[in-house]
Amino acid sequence: MSEEAGLLERSRREFERALQRNIKGLGYFNSPAPVVGASAKDVLIERGTLRLYHYRPLADEIYRVPVLLVMATTNRGYIFDLTPGQSLVEYLLMRGYDVFMIDWEAPRPDEKSLDMASYVLDFIPTCVARVKQTTGEPEVSVLGYCFGGVLSLLWAALHPDAGLKNLATFTTPVDFKQMPLFATWSDKRYFDVDRLVDTLGNCPSEMLYSSFDALRPASRVAANLRLADRMWDDEFVKAHRMIDRWGTDILPLAGEYFRDTTKKLLWDNALMAGTMEVAGRPVDLANITAPFLHVTAEHDHIVPTAASAPLIDMVGSADKEQVTLKGGHVSLIGGPNAVRRMWPKLDDWLAEKSL
Amino acid sequence: MERTDDRLREQRLFSVTAGSPLDPMAMIRSALDQWEKLANEHGAQFLQRPETTKALQSMTAGYLQMQAMVHDTMGKALAAANLPSRKDVEALSARLGAIEASLARIEAGRNPQTNSGALPRPPRTRKPPPRS
């Protein structure tokens, strides 16, 4: 009897959901995109592809040392600030950090001449200087995500006297040969990066989007089928739309910067080979001596563990730590479980070092 | 509160009945998960083959060649029509960018406490909470 009752209840529920799918499915295509990145902020620098934001405080008292988030150049920084309740920026602000962010806009066609040096020797130092000027503090904690972490590492190694108080990187690769798909697709025998950059200028966002998508070729179809199945669930749909929007909001890469990244990192794997240089200046990560934290994701399909594992031994800091947490490349930072996993770990590590 | 109760009830029903062998929806969802995993594995293996890379990059090279031809043709047509080319527009954009950068430097020099610097900020005296 109870099994029959369960079967009836299940049937009733599935019928209700089928109705909701149809009704809400129509509404889905008519409704506006979810609002993301809405934490109140001021724009300190707006220069071509570069943006520096300063977030308005949410606490009555803040830590002395400001925090500068460095976003990867392929995507938008609102993954740090998806929505109230699911925002690393909001989390840090509420815990009393003074938060800044380096974010990016699509480089203009004339910005195709921007190279690695532009980001490491101009953009980041300019932003760090501006943070120090705005806060009146001589030191800054830098948190870099994915390739934002690579840029942060290069900057830190080349500017040992820049006032770096703490450095944290999230899912940051150093051994690019351990990213097998990217390494294969950029094989210098077949991939003529010079021709691409000389012809197109900036690397188109469509090409980068296809590359990321191809890492899990079936997942987009599966995600849309799950969306159709869960169309009745407003919270699921909202979460899907935010992450899907961010995942498709890929930026083009400045031409010379793309050429530099491909040749030095994907072809030469220069960080591992010890031959990395920026504008002729050799990079040695052992020059980084500030307290260092590297957080990796257990199920990272973009930066596998092997690609980021050597980093902890390359950095010269005495106080350094690497942790691997549950989650994927994106959910580690901006997923609904990040508030229980990565964010408290970061707060726990950073708070006492921000005095 | 009512919405939370409804959601909890839904989740309980979902979890109680989802594992039942009589739940076709759960079987379909599980099949989708397995298909996705297998398809991603096989897709990754296929895409990692050098022949696949060679083929894909050949297509890219073909596209770039076509783009270069179109650029040349359009450039000649624009020159003949005495209209600015893409290069001319990019040069204009670069000059505008340089002017914007100069303006930003001038503004920053005149008023160091611009934007958020002028807003009152909380004191920088926070201490971490005591460890439990």
Side-chain angles (χ1 to χ4, degrees), chain A residues 10 43 54-55 61-62 64 95 98 108 110 112 130 135 184-185 199 216 218-219 226 229 352, chain B residues 10 22 29 33 36 40 47-48 53 57 71 90 93 114-116 121-126 131:
Chain A
R10 207 165 59 235
V43 182
H54 188 192
Y55 287 88
E61 198 184 10
I62 58 178
R64 182 184 70 82
R95 275 149 188 78
D98 192 6
R108 296 186 309 256
D110 63 279
K112 64 186 176 189
R130 188 61 187 270
T135 61
T184 304
W185 295 336
T199 306
R216 293 190 301 193
S219 289
R226 287 191 193 99
D229 181 33
E352 59 195 20
Chain B
E10 282 275 5
L22 297 178
R29 290 178 190 112
D33 291 341
E36 182 189 9
N40 281 340
L47 290 168
Q48 210 173 325
T53 301
Q57 298 301 1
H71 282 166
E90 282 179 14
S93 175
T114 50
N115 295 342
S116 61
R121 291 271 157 175
R124 297 183 172 275
T125 51
R126 193 176 189 95
R131 288 182 182 273

Side-chain angles (χ1 to χ4, degrees), chain A residues 3 6-7 9-10 12-14 16-17 21 42-48 54-57 59-66 94-98 100 108-110 112 130 133-137 180-181 184-187 189-192 195-197 199-200 204 207 214-223 225-226 229-230 232-235 348-349 351-355, chain B residues 3 7 10-11 13-14 17-18 20-26 29 32-37 39-45 47-58 60-68 71 86-87 89-98 100-101 104-105 108-109 111-117 119-129 131:
Chain A
E3 199 170 307
L7 193 57
E9 180 59 34
R10 207 165 59 235
R12 181 197 66 78
R13 191 184 66 245
E14 288 302 333
E16 273 179 22
R17 285 180 180 171
R21 274 190 207 103
D42 299 297
V43 182
L44 299 191
I45 296 177
E46 194 173 343
R47 175 156 65 108
H54 188 192
Y55 287 88
R56 303 263 175 102
D60 296 329
E61 198 184 10
I62 58 178
Y63 289 112
R64 182 184 70 82
V65 181
M94 288 173 67
R95 275 149 188 78
Y97 295 93
D98 192 6
F100 296 75
R108 296 186 309 256
D110 63 279
K112 64 186 176 189
R130 188 61 187 270
Q133 181 191 48
T134 303
T135 61
E137 290 296 327
L181 284 173
T184 304
W185 295 336
S186 63
D187 190 327
R189 291 173 295 173
Y190 313 121
F191 178 48
D192 191 344
R195 186 178 195 177
L196 187 148
V197 172
T199 306
L200 300 180
M207 197 171 287
L215 292 175
R216 293 190 301 193
S219 289
R220 185 155 298 279
V221 169
L225 288 171
R226 287 191 193 99
D229 181 33
R230 300 280 297 267
W232 53 269
D233 186 340
D234 292 339
E235 287 185 25
D348 202 47
W349 178 83
E352 59 195 20
K353 296 177 170 66
S354 298
L355 308 179
Chain B
R3 183 172 157 75
R7 281 198 63 80
E10 282 275 5
Q11 282 165 8
L13 278 170
F14 197 78
T17 57
S20 163
L22 297 178
D23 188 346
M25 293 308 295
R29 290 178 190 112
L32 176 63
D33 291 341
Q34 286 174 38
W35 170 81
E36 182 189 9
K37 186 167 178 285
N40 281 340
E41 279 170 12
H42 287 293
Q45 281 171 17
L47 290 168
Q48 210 173 325
R49 286 160 56 184
E51 310 85 68
T52 311
T53 301
K54 196 174 175 188
L56 288 172
Q57 298 301 1
S58 296
T60 304
Y63 164 73
L64 291 174
Q65 188 153 357
M66 187 200 69
Q67 275 285 319
H71 282 166
R86 184 182 176 88
K87 241 186 193 163
V89 174
E90 282 179 14
L92 268 174
S93 175
R95 286 174 66 187
L96 266 173
E100 280 174 353
R105 276 194 298 274
N111 194 3
Q113 294 298 318
T114 50
N115 295 342
S116 61
L119 292 172
R121 291 271 157 175
R124 297 183 172 275
T125 51
R126 193 176 189 95
K127 300 284 182 284
R131 288 182 182 273

Side-chain angles (χ1 to χ4, degrees), chain A residues 156-157 160 164-165 167 285-292 315-320:
Chain A
L164 175 64
K165 183 80 163 83
L167 177 64
L285 298 187
N287 289 337
I288 299 172
T289 55
F292 176 67
V315 169
S317 312
D319 177 1
K320 56 185 175 182

Side-chain angles (χ1 to χ4, degrees), chain A residues 87-122:
Chain A
S87 162
L88 174 60
V89 167
E90 179 193 58
Y91 183 89
L92 292 174
L93 289 170
M94 288 173 67
R95 275 149 188 78
Y97 295 93
D98 192 6
V99 182
F100 296 75
M101 187 200 300
I102 294 179
D103 197 5
W104 312 103
E105 291 290 328
R108 296 186 309 256
D110 63 279
E111 290 185 287
K112 64 186 176 189
S113 58
L114 294 175
D115 57 7
M116 185 79 79
S118 308
Y119 290 78
V120 175
L121 303 181
D122 178 5

Side-chain angles (χ1 to χ4, degrees), chain A residues 1 18 42 51 69 83 111-112 154 169 180-181 198 267 325 354:
Chain A
M1 187 66 184
D42 299 297
R51 297 289 179 276
L69 296 162
T83 191
E111 290 185 287
K112 64 186 176 189
L154 297 177
T169 55
L181 284 173
D198 294 342
W267 287 5
L325 300 175
S354 298

